[in-house]
Amino acid sequence: MYDCTKNYINGEWVDSIGGSTHDIINPSTEEIIGRVSFGKSEDVDLAVKAAQSAFGQYSQWSVNQRLELLEKIVSAFKARWDEIAAAISSEMGAPAPFSLRAQTGSGLGHLRAAIAALQELKLEESIGKSTVIREPVGVCGLITPWNWPINQIACKVAPALAAGCTMVLKPSEIAPVNATLFAEVLDAAGVPAGVFNLVHGDGPGVGASLSSHEGIDMMSFTGSTRAGVLVARAAADTVKRVTQELGGKSANVILESAPLKEAVTSGAHNLFHNSGQSCNAPSRMLVPESLYGQAVAIAAETAAATRPGHPDDPETDIGPVVSEAQFEKIQGLIEAGIEEGAKVAAGGPGKPEGLETGYFVRPTVFRDVNNSMTIAREEIFGPVLCIIPYSDIDEAVAMANDSEYGLSGYVWGGSTEEAMQVARRLRTGMVHLNGAPTDVMAPFGGYKKSGNGREWGVMGLEDFLEVKAIMGAA
Ligand code: NAI
Ligand code: MG
């Protein structure tokens, strides 16, 4: 059984004052695999106090000292790699190889990216007649979700440490085990007491206390747009910086000139992997009318070949979704799609055959979708792909941009140049051309209700820095 009932504050594992403990559920088996405590504002106060007192010293560490610390964290992280991967599989259902490589690998990726960013970023420059320096923003509150848990923790903690900030992390209450292991990694690497603190708990409790806390200078949040708005509201009175990495409904524009089979297969695969639980998932596939039937058939084949299953089964392509609540939400949206007139081309409601236990969802493709349907507008966060026809490229661009979200976009064309022309017209923070993967050094974040600020690499580091202009020094 995993034990997440203690918080890590000022370099010690301490009992949660909050007192209430909750089950951690394995979504593949519905079995209880551990307990997590929900802290309350007193736990947050202790953690913030520790982070405030550590800030004085840690913020003065030289770049080299911070680089050395990050290198030690890399080694300590590698030493716990398999345990972290196993925890992620157990608590959120990622297939074992996917958890080992993509999920856990992304943690190492962000640690390395923070090192590279700190080496690259100019912390001092001349602007006008003045010297401009960049300093750590202060004490940071970090709130992370369950879908890419170690990715999101690492892409906040690593740059915060690189910047010279101290911090309090509240990880997802649904997937708290990897966060506990990560705190152990930081402890083993010799992160000084108080620099990194972990408080377990839920959003309305610990998350809201952090967001409104006088002692916190910046909130970095990843999760739903709903909760991101609440964080910003709670943060407003204290005028802290708020960065938000929120939901998405990303369009995948397949151009007439694209290699259709490759583009559709890759797009469908990108949506299904991690069981559709990625903020940047290409959930709306936009296809020329003339190729619509073919595209639907290819996507349906891809769905049929995508096997849901247990994380440890070598045949598994995708695991379950994370919780019963998410399962129910996804089922409700599949029903809404059918009621509003979209047609199921693959998958559909209910559980896959033979997987009655566990929160497994059938990889689903909807055809005859129009962009105003609920399934084309709401973030489903499950393996449910919508395919929408377009008559010309202007219509495709208009539909792609007709969303309250603006996280990512995908364009596949016959040439990079052609795809690039469309990419320039998308109101999104990121665009992937012709199947290009994410880039750990490129800024990750969104337009519109997908958030504010950028994570990853140099720009991710900049978000944790404050700017000071010094006149008369140059
Ligand atoms: P959520 O947004 O409630 O949870 C994510 C994190 O926010 C957790 O750590 C949670 O404790 C925290 N949180 C919740 N309410 C908060 C509050 N008032 N103040 C501060 N922190 C708060 O997401 P949930 O309920 O787990 O999933 C619901 C939907 O949200 C999903 O179906 C998906 O559409 C979206 N989502 C999007 C994510 C993304 O990366 N874009 C990640 C997780 C969820
Ligand atoms: Mg929630």
Side-chain angles (χ1 to χ4, degrees):
M1 289 283 273
Y2 289 116
D3 180 8
C4 298
T5 60
K6 288 187 187 300
N7 296 325
Y8 181 75
I9 297 177
N10 209 22
E12 308 279 347
W13 289 98
V14 297
D15 286 327
S16 172
I17 302 167
S20 76
T21 63
H22 302 258
D23 293 333
I24 307 165
I25 307 285
N26 179 330
S28 313
T29 61
E30 302 182 33
E31 282 166 3
I32 298 169
I33 53 166
R35 302 283 291 170
V36 57
S37 56
F38 283 12
K40 57 181 185 185
S41 60
E42 284 86 340
D43 295 285
V44 173
D45 287 341
L46 283 181
V48 172
K49 223 169 257 158
Q52 283 177 311
S53 19
F55 185 74
Q57 281 213 339
Y58 184 64
S59 61
Q60 299 304 310
W61 277 32
S62 68
V63 167
N64 276 337
Q65 282 176 301
R66 284 179 262 156
L67 287 170
E68 267 170 40
L69 180 65
L70 286 163
E71 293 289 0
K72 285 188 191 141
I73 297 170
V74 165
S75 307
F77 184 85
K78 286 182 179 164
R80 305 293 299 275
W81 189 288
D82 291 357
E83 282 169 88
I84 292 171
I88 292 173
S89 278
S90 306
E91 61 189 335
M92 62 74 68
F98 183 71
S99 193
L100 266 174
R101 289 196 281 274
Q103 288 276 6
T104 307
S106 66
L108 179 65
H110 291 303
L111 288 166
R112 291 215 170 112
I115 291 170
L118 183 56
Q119 285 165 333
E120 207 170 293
L121 188 68
K122 263 208 258 153
L123 293 170
E124 200 161 321
E125 62 186 313
S126 294
I127 297 183
K129 297 184 190 110
S130 304
T131 299
V132 174
I133 62 178
R134 280 152 204 263
E135 300 182 330
V137 66
V139 176
C140 300
L142 315 175
I143 299 179
T144 55
W146 41 262
N147 57 326
W148 282 92
I150 207 72
N151 168 71
Q152 283 134 343
I153 290 172
C155 83
K156 296 186 193 306
V157 172
L161 286 172
C165 293
T166 61
M167 66 209 75
V168 181
L169 168 68
K170 189 212 84 63
S172 166
E173 65 276 30
I174 297 168
V177 181
N178 69 89
T180 301
L181 296 174
F182 192 71
E184 290 177 10
V185 163
L186 298 181
D187 186 80
V191 173
V195 169
F196 168 86
N197 304 276
L198 166 74
V199 178
H200 284 298
D202 65 354
V206 173
S209 304
L210 275 175
S211 307
S212 62
H213 206 289
E214 283 283 351
I216 293 210
D217 301 291
M218 164 172 167
M219 285 304 300
S220 173
F221 176 84
T222 300
S224 63
T225 296
R226 175 199 68 81
V229 169
L230 293 174
V231 168
R233 244 186 231 151
D237 287 338
T238 47
V239 197
K240 50 175 65 76
R241 178 181 299 174
V242 178
T243 61
Q244 300 149 308
E245 206 276 277
L246 309 174
K249 193 73 196 176
S250 300
N252 180 6
V253 184
I254 296 178
L255 305 180
E256 204 142 18
S257 57
L260 191 68
K261 175 128 201 207
E262 191 185 359
V264 173
T265 308
S266 153
H269 176 77
N270 274 339
L271 180 274
F272 293 142
H273 91 150
N274 211 33
S275 305
Q277 304 168 118
S278 297
C279 50
N280 59 350
S283 47
R284 292 183 294 149
M285 185 181 283
L286 309 188
V287 181
E289 269 163 8
S290 57
L291 303 172
Y292 192 71
Q294 280 181 66
V296 167
I298 297 166
E301 265 169 45
T302 310
T306 302
R307 287 208 205 183
H310 285 257
D312 292 330
D313 182 344
E315 301 286 302
T316 293
D317 293 309
I318 62 170
V321 297
V322 74
S323 65
E324 188 171 12
Q326 286 302 112
F327 177 84
E328 293 300 340
K329 176 190 159 179
I330 295 160
Q331 294 301 318
L333 283 163
I334 293 175
E335 297 293 352
I338 295 168
E339 268 163 39
E340 290 175 28
K343 298 277 179 300
V344 172
K351 290 188 176 174
E353 232 183 86
L355 291 169
E356 283 73 26
T357 303
Y359 310 123
F360 294 96
V361 175
R362 303 168 72 191
T364 295
V365 175
F366 271 114
R367 62 172 297 153
D368 300 346
V369 180
N370 70 56
N371 202 45
S372 54
M373 289 179 180
T374 307
I375 52 171
R377 306 208 73 82
E378 283 190 22
E379 184 175 48
I380 298 176
F381 237 55
V384 181
L385 177 65
C386 296
I387 311 190
I388 307 174
Y390 68 82
S391 56
D392 59 33
I393 193 60
D394 288 341
E395 192 194 15
V397 168
M399 281 198 290
N401 289 335
D402 177 16
S403 168
E404 63 178 358
Y405 296 115
L407 191 55
S408 217
Y410 300 75
V411 186
W412 208 311
S415 71
T416 310
E417 292 69 32
E418 199 189 342
M420 186 68 181
Q421 281 179 18
V422 178
R424 290 188 193 282
R425 299 174 65 186
L426 298 181
R427 298 278 301 156
T428 60
M430 298 167 283
V431 186
H432 297 262
L433 303 188
N434 299 339
T438 50
D439 174 358
V440 73
M441 287 306 287
F444 190 103
Y447 290 13
K448 301 195 271 183
K449 287 188 187 165
S450 291
N452 284 298
R454 291 294 181 272
E455 302 200 277
W456 303 20
V458 175
M459 287 193 175
L461 176 56
E462 282 176 342
D463 267 7
F464 287 96
L465 293 167
E466 193 49 285
V467 170
K468 180 184 282 173
I470 304 177
M471 277 61 72

